[in-house]
């Protein structure tokens, strides 16, 4: 099955210091691509300094932000959003040279944010985004995964999911949001390991809250539980998580939202924005790519 045509890349315009030339100072105006509220334009004087050797890890960013926002909380929210967007962009520039155009495969339970975070990563990396569930729906000519489960079978869905992952693994410069059950089959790991695998590890309660907020209709494995949407989701997700055991832990990088939240002083993972999670993903990818084992494995493909 041919994978669907690549989605158009969304990229941001970056007026900062030219890539490849490291120099102190530099001004930039944030483009709309960062989702900045242009009613409140800001000029960020980005003082980029290198501490010690110029290894891409040692750069430190100090930012003075002058902003016309009138209200304190708006300004703080604006600055946080700008900070995150800037840090994401900077981190992507650190990582891209080491990724060697390899695909990113996001794995995790349903509702873990593979699509949401995947789209952010694809945009900042200049990669194309694919949702393997959508490719399967197109390949079999049905409008939803739920319809496939109902009118054909889960096994039929899984077979086509493997074909989609096989096709995607032969391509470059993709971010793929896999279905939550992709980790079940070893053959799928043989495909995904041609790229870099990233596990979004989200507490079950947070998954249940997120899924309850959007409804379980699109997730057939959650359909047959009794009770309210949250309870129904939590019961089923707990069972699935136990059945899948350590399957997700085969990923090259684990993004533990509970750990990030604790590190940032949040009591709950719901305080973490998708951008903050994307930043952490790039940090963990960078760490993985610096290991010899990564170099050995990725050299072959
Ligand atoms: N960091 C986050 N904080 C709060 N809600 C989120 C976050 N990431 C994703 N969501 C929400 O959770 C739901 C599932 O996200 P999605 O990206 O579709 O997950 P997946 O693709 O893993 O099933 C969506 O409604 C999405 O808006
Ligand atoms: O966990 C699973 O087995 C599944 C997760 C779903 O994808 P999302 O993770 O995008 O919900 C979809 O592939 C199908 O309903 C099966």
């Amino acid at each position: 099955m041919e994978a669907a045509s690549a989605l158009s890349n969304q990229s941001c315009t970056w007026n900062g210091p030219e890539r490849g030339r490291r120099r102190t100072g530099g001004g930039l105006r944030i483009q709309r691509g960062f989702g900045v509220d242009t009613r409140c334009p800001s000029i960020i004087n980005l003082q980029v300094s290198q501490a010690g050797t110029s290894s891409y890890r040692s750069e430190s960013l100090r930012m003075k932000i002058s902003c016309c926002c009138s209200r304190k909380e708006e300004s703080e929210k604006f600055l946080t959003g700008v900070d995150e967007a800037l840090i994401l962009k900077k981190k992507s520039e650190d990582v891209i040279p080491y990724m060697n155009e390899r695909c990113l495969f996001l794995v995790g339970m349903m509702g873990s944010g593979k699509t949401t975070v995947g789209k952010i990563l694809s945009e900042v990396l200049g990669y194309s985004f694919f949702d393997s569930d959508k490719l399967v729906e197109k390949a079999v000519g049905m409008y939803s995964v739920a319809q496939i489960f109902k009118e054909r079978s889960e096994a039929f869905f899984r077979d086509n999911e493997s074909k989609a992952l096989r096709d995607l693994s032969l391509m470059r410069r993709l971010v793929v949001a896999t279905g939550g059950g992709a980790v079940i089959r070893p053959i799928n790991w043989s495909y995904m390991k041609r790229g870099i695998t990233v596990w979004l590890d989200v507490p079950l309660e947070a998954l249940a809250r997120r899924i309850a907020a959007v409804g379980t209709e699109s997730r057939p494995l959650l359909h047959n539980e009794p009770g309210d949407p949250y309870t129904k989701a939590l019961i089923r997700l707990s069972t699935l998580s136990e059945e899948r055991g350590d399957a997700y832990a085969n990923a090259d990088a684990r993004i533990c939202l509970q750990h990030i939240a604790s590190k940032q002083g949040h009591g709950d993972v719901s305080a973490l924005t998708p951008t903050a999670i994307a930043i952490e993903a790039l940090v963990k990818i960078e760490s993985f790519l610096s290991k010899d084992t990564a170099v050995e494995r990725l050299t072959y493909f």
Side-chain angles (χ1 to χ4, degrees), residues 108-111 114-115 131 133 145 149 154 157-158 161 178-181 184 218-221 240 244 248:
M109 291 285 286
M110 54 184 90
K114 302 183 292 292
T115 301
D131 177 331
D133 282 350
V145 169
F149 272 58
E154 180 177 351
F157 169 82
R158 298 290 178 209
E161 182 176 50
T178 67
I184 299 170
S218 64
R219 295 177 165 102
L221 290 177
L240 284 171
R244 291 169 184 179
Y248 294 106

Side-chain angles (χ1 to χ4, degrees), residues 109-116 210 214 219 272-274 277:
M109 291 285 286
M110 54 184 90
S112 56
K114 302 183 292 292
T115 301
T116 305
R210 291 177 180 181
V214 295
R219 295 177 165 102
L272 296 176
T273 65
I277 295 164

Side-chain angles (χ1 to χ4, degrees), residues 87-115:
I87 293 168
L88 178 72
K89 179 63 181 175
K90 182 67 186 68
K91 184 46 71 179
S92 72
E93 291 191 340
D94 290 343
V95 176
I96 285 171
Y98 299 88
M99 286 182 62
N100 199 16
E101 299 193 330
R102 282 183 176 74
C103 296
L104 284 187
F105 291 90
L106 302 187
V107 300
M109 291 285 286
M110 54 184 90
S112 56
K114 302 183 292 292
T115 301

Side-chain angles (χ1 to χ4, degrees), residues 64-97:
K64 287 184 292 181
I65 297 175
S66 57
C67 174
C68 65
C69 286
S70 52
R71 293 170 50 206
K72 186 175 182 306
E73 55 272 19
E74 262 186 17
S75 171
E76 280 174 355
K77 190 175 173 185
F78 168 75
L79 296 182
T80 305
V82 169
D83 277 350
E84 283 189 345
L86 275 171
I87 293 168
L88 178 72
K89 179 63 181 175
K90 182 67 186 68
K91 184 46 71 179
S92 72
E93 291 191 340
D94 290 343
V95 176
I96 285 171

